[in-house]
Amino acid sequence: MQRLDEAAIRTIGIPRLLLMDAAGRAVAQAVRELIPAPAQDVLVCCGLGYNGGDGLCAAWYLTRWGYQPSLIITGARAHLKDEPAAYARILEGLGQSLHELTGLERAEALREPMSRASLIVDALLGIGWQGPLRPLQERLIRLMNQSGKPILAVDVPSGLDADTGLPNPVAVKAAMTVTFGWPKQGLLLGEGPAHAGQLLVEDIGMPASLLSGLA
Ligand SMILES: NC(=O)c1ccc[n+]([C@@H]2O[C@H](COP(=O)([O-])OP(=O)(O)OC[C@H]3O[C@@H](n4cnc5c(N)ncnc54)[C@H](OP(=O)(O)O)[C@@H]3O)[C@@H](O)[C@H]2O)c1
């Protein structure tokens, strides 16, 4: 999937922002189907990579649709890459605050917003990280799972190895996973299905010809 993403962007010339916009919209749409009333609280937890960018984009759609998502990112906002940073700027321009979790000790402060949330969106990590998890992400994943709240995972439940389907060493237990393009191997193997919950595969505009080209 990483090679397909690269081919879509570099060879075919689809701007990453378009893919991210389609991914974020698909996630927001899934939230809307789970929680149709916009007044309820949705907590969106974002990493600093493109998976986090999908989460920020979803938060923008939710805001446009009348939701008031709470947003956290796992580090300093200044470390977001171009496209995720663009969505962060839009959200801030709309008056949304981004809570930066810069240290492990601050993770505990999430217990309260998690307890208030009707739904948690897990956009910490997708297919681009390598395990084992760092302490902050491991702690956040444990807190999310302990919260008892339904979790909607973006692309792959955080902590799950997208190739093997094994937690490394823990992984989000999602009620639903919205994955993009094609299902990742790890969603179907090992403990993947138990962590992914209901699996939605969304077309974000990746040309089907790329898949045959990879074979
Ligand atoms: N082409 C596209 O635009 C496109 C298309 C479809 C989907 N997506 C989305 O993009 C995602 C992939 O984005 P990505 O490649 O940026 O990868 P990612 O899954 O977002 O992971 C990258 C992030 O993980 C961190 N990380 C690496 N190893 C870690 C560890 N052991 N513990 C904790 N954190 C760790 C990295 O930090 P450091 O940088 O500090 O190492 C980086 O912030 C997909 O899953 C999907 O959601 C993108």
Side-chain angles (χ1 to χ4, degrees), residues 1-2 5-6 9 16-17 19-20 23 47-52 54 81 124-134 137 154-156 180 184 204 206:
M1 284 306 300
Q2 285 169 318
D5 284 358
E6 279 308 300
I9 292 165
R16 190 186 295 280
L17 199 63
L19 296 174
M20 198 168 279
L48 294 178
Y50 294 126
N51 190 253
D54 294 343
K81 294 180 200 167
L124 294 179
L125 299 166
I127 61 171
W129 68 286
Q130 291 193 323
L133 287 166
R134 295 173 192 154
Q137 284 76 7
V154 176
D155 206 21
V156 177
F180 311 121
K184 282 74 198 174
I204 58 166
M206 304 268 270

Side-chain angles (χ1 to χ4, degrees), residues 8 16 27-28 31 34-35 42 48 64 67 73-74 80 97 114-115 118 121 149 171 187 196 203 206 208:
R16 190 186 295 280
V27 170
V31 171
L34 290 171
I35 303 184
V42 177
L48 294 178
R64 285 160 63 179
Y67 292 74
I73 55 172
T74 54
L80 288 170
S97 37
M114 278 185 191
S115 71
S118 328
V121 176
K149 298 303 169 97
L187 295 172
D203 174 12
M206 304 268 270

